[in-house]
Amino acid sequence: MKKIVLLSAFSLLACNRNSTVHPPVGGVLSKNDLEVSKQRSKGLNTLEREQIQDWINHQKTPFYAMPLNYWTDNKEMQQRSRMQNDTPVSYEYELYDFDQTKIYDQPQGKMNVSLGHFDELKSVEDALHYLKSGEEATLLVPSSLAYGTFGDEKKIDNDIPLIIKVKVL
C-alpha cells in the first residue's frame, strides 16, 4: 500500500512540473515572424500580379481587373452591382494552371447554395456575386485567392496562381 501511495505522489509531482510549451502549428507568432510573413506575402502577390499581367499581354482575349485582386474575361462583371448574400446559386468550375493544363478531370461545384454562406475559393464566390444564370467567366487568380500557402494537398501545390473557368447553372 505504501508503494502505491508513494508512486501516486511521484506521479502527481511529475505532472506538476513546468514544461516548455510551444505554440501549435498556425499558433501565435512573434512580431518579427508576422512582419517576415507579411513581407513575403506582399512580395509574392506583387510577383504573381506581374506574371499574370505578362500572361494577359500575350493573349488575344482581353481581361479586366476586379476589385478583389483577380482578373476576368467578362467585361460586364465590372459594371454590375454585386448580388446580395443569401441569393441562391448553383455553379461549377474547372481549374487550370497557367500552362492551361486542366488540373482535375471533373468540375468542382455546388447546387442550390446561398451566396455568403458557403466555403469556397474567395475568387469564385466573389465572381458568383456578379454572374447571371447561364453565364460563364474565366478568372485569373493569384495564389492568395486560390489555395494559398498550403495548396489543396492533392494536385495543387503551394503558392500556385490559377485559371478558373466558372459557370453559373
Side-chain angles (χ1 to χ4, degrees), residues 21-29:
V21 177
H22 300 282
V25 173
V28 179
L29 297 174

Side-chain angles (χ1 to χ4, degrees), residues 101-158:
T101 302
K102 193 174 187 180
I103 297 173
Y104 287 105
D105 294 331
Q106 299 298 316
Q108 312 290 312
K110 295 187 179 166
M111 301 295 290
N112 299 318
V113 293
S114 295
L115 289 175
H117 299 285
F118 59 98
D119 188 27
E120 194 56 78
L121 295 172
K122 291 176 189 175
S123 53
V124 170
E125 184 169 5
D126 187 70
L128 290 171
H129 279 274
Y130 297 99
L131 291 171
K132 297 176 183 176
S133 181
E135 269 190 313
E136 298 179 29
T138 299
L139 313 178
L140 308 178
V141 182
S143 64
S144 62
L145 294 175
Y147 288 93
T149 303
F150 300 105
D152 74 346
E153 298 180 356
K154 296 174 189 160
K155 291 187 173 187
I156 300 171
D157 208 358
N158 61 317

Side-chain angles (χ1 to χ4, degrees), residues 24-39:
V25 173
V28 179
L29 297 174
S30 71
K31 286 184 180 182
N32 184 53
D33 290 340
L34 287 172
E35 187 58 33
V36 167
S37 177
K38 182 179 172 183
Q39 292 306 318

